[in-house]
Amino acid sequence: MLLILLGLLLWSGVHFWKRIAPDHRARFGNKGKAIVAIGSVVAIVLMTIGYRAAEGTFFWGRSPMLTGINNLLMLFAFYHFAASGAKTRITKWVRNPQLTAVKIWALSHLLVNGDTPSFLLFGGLFAWALAEVIVLNRVAPPAPYHAVPVKKEITALIATVVVFSITAAIHIWLGYNPFG
């Protein structure tokens, strides 16, 4: 579980860097984006390897009901993520749709993974997203909402279904059937 923790710390560090030390981050210019990207990839690798190798106490597992709720929440998570890029209508009410997507993703995975490695990984990413929202709300004023064409809404919905399908296929390929 140490690798999960190290991955979470690295993930949080590179993502908070711009908010906590904006002048330091700005000095790096475009190289700072590369540092964040590389740090994010290394963090994901650490969390993935750590999660796959971790052992811990098991409290609950998947059930058909929790699996269905998880899949429905994942559709909402993917939609929020797509909505942030397309600036769809939901961004009028949800200020940080990408971070909201991470929180929904984390909670949905906790529903079907009731073991201590999952508590650390998904709970840790939920805590990071929540802290990021708090920091963003303190340092950046909300951007004004601008109405978007219906085409963007449709594009976000299509992207949601496509990404959900690809993600489900990858889970099945890895041996984790998200539908059963």
Side-chain angles (χ1 to χ4, degrees):
M1 289 212 285
L2 179 62
L3 290 178
I4 298 173
L5 184 58
L6 290 173
L8 285 168
L9 290 172
L10 179 57
W11 178 269
S12 298
V14 297
H15 283 86
F16 277 125
W17 182 27
K18 184 176 181 178
R19 308 290 178 241
I20 294 174
D23 295 335
H24 186 258
R25 166 60 181 83
R27 283 195 296 251
F28 284 86
N30 283 335
K31 289 181 183 179
K33 290 180 183 179
I35 292 169
V36 172
I38 291 167
S40 297
V41 169
V42 171
I44 290 169
V45 169
L46 287 171
M47 289 185 283
T48 303
I49 292 170
Y51 185 70
R52 293 196 69 153
E55 295 179 11
T57 305
F58 182 80
F59 295 96
W60 68 83
R62 295 164 46 129
S63 70
M65 180 185 74
L66 292 179
T67 299
I69 293 169
N70 171 72
N71 290 335
L72 182 60
L73 288 172
M74 286 307 302
L75 281 169
F76 285 125
F78 285 126
Y79 175 74
H80 276 80
F81 205 88
S84 72
K87 303 290 185 227
T88 63
R89 192 160 296 143
I90 201 165
T91 60
K92 183 176 183 177
W93 300 284
V94 178
R95 180 172 177 201
N96 302 298
Q98 283 185 351
L99 293 169
T100 301
V102 172
K103 291 185 285 187
I104 295 168
W105 170 85
L107 288 175
S108 71
H109 278 73
L110 284 171
L111 282 176
V112 293
N113 296 291
D115 55 69
T116 50
S118 297
F119 297 159
L120 179 59
L121 177 62
F122 303 119
L125 287 170
F126 179 87
W128 162 77
L130 185 62
E132 187 81 32
V133 167
I134 292 167
V135 169
L136 280 171
N137 286 339
R138 288 188 178 169
V139 300
Y145 171 76
H146 301 292
V148 296
V150 173
K151 183 174 97 172
K152 290 219 177 209
E153 297 285 348
I154 294 169
T155 302
L157 289 171
I158 292 170
T160 297
V161 172
V162 169
V163 173
F164 178 84
S165 300
I166 291 169
T167 303
I170 291 169
H171 276 71
I172 291 168
W173 179 68
L174 291 173
Y176 304 102
N177 186 350
F179 304 109

